[in-house]
């Protein structure tokens, strides 16, 4: 038969430390808590909308200036007043095509902005806690 020897205090301390480390490691493998989505406040939502409005307004103004420049450039290619050439008909067709393109792009910009506004969630006010009635009686 074999005799069991008592554990040395150093060996016992190491065993306890290893067990404790294993327990800590087992606890640290627990899944991290899920993030809580943060709803924007009303003022944050209004700020975001104001920024988007400003961006769309800037885009519309830029497109308008570019359109005016294009129209002036086309007009400058027109032949001298009083003379009619096939070039004038091409200039008119080009101006009409540019107008149609410009109008379609502006409508598209406004529609995309409108769609983006509709897709944004509207922040809901937090529910107010209901105060418990004293004494349990209903109606005073």
């Amino acid at each position: 038969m074999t005799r069991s020897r008592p554990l040395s205090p150093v060996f016992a301390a190491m065993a306890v430390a290893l067990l404790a480390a294993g327990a800590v490691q087992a606890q640290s493998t627990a899944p991290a808590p899920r993030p809580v989505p943060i709803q924007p406040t009303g003022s944050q939502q209004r700020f975001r909308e104001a920024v988007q409005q400003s961006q769309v307004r800037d885009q519309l103004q830029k497109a308008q200036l570019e359109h005016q420049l294009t129209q002036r450039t086309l007009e400058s290619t027109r032949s001298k007043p009083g003379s009619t050439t096939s070039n004038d008909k091409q200039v008119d067709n080009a101006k009409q095509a540019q107008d149609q393109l410009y109008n379609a792009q502006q409508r598209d910009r406004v529609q995309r902005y409108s769609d983006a506004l509709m897709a944004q969630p509207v922040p809901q006010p937090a529910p107010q806690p209901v105060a418990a009635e004293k004494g349990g009686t209903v109606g005073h």
Side-chain angles (χ1 to χ4, degrees), residues 16-38:
V16 170
L18 286 173
L19 288 173
V24 168
Q25 185 177 10
Q27 289 176 355
S28 67
T29 60
R34 292 185 346 170
V36 177
I38 299 173

Side-chain angles (χ1 to χ4, degrees), residues 46-65 102 106 109-110 113:
R46 285 189 298 276
F47 175 75
R48 183 180 300 143
E49 288 173 9
V51 168
Q52 287 176 334
Q53 286 174 356
S54 176
Q55 289 172 340
V56 169
R57 190 178 318 111
D58 290 347
Q59 289 174 351
L60 293 173
Q61 288 173 346
K62 178 183 175 197
Q64 182 181 19
L65 291 172
Y102 168 73
Q106 295 295 72
R109 284 181 180 97
V110 171
Y113 170 70

Side-chain angles (χ1 to χ4, degrees), residues 5 14 31 36-37 41 46 55 60 63 65 71 77 81 83 89 93-94 100-101 108 115 121 124 134-135:
R5 292 186 342 194
M14 285 178 21
V36 177
T41 63
R46 285 189 298 276
Q55 289 172 340
L60 293 173
L65 291 172
Q71 293 294 23
T77 63
S83 66
K89 181 68 175 161
N93 289 343
Q100 290 171 350
L101 177 63
D108 181 60
D115 291 346
Q124 299 295 322
K134 292 183 181 179

Side-chain angles (χ1 to χ4, degrees), residues 10 13 16 30-31 33 38 77 94-95 105 114 117 124-127:
V10 172
V16 170
I38 299 173
T77 63
K95 283 180 74 171
Q105 288 172 334
S114 177
L117 278 182
Q124 299 295 322

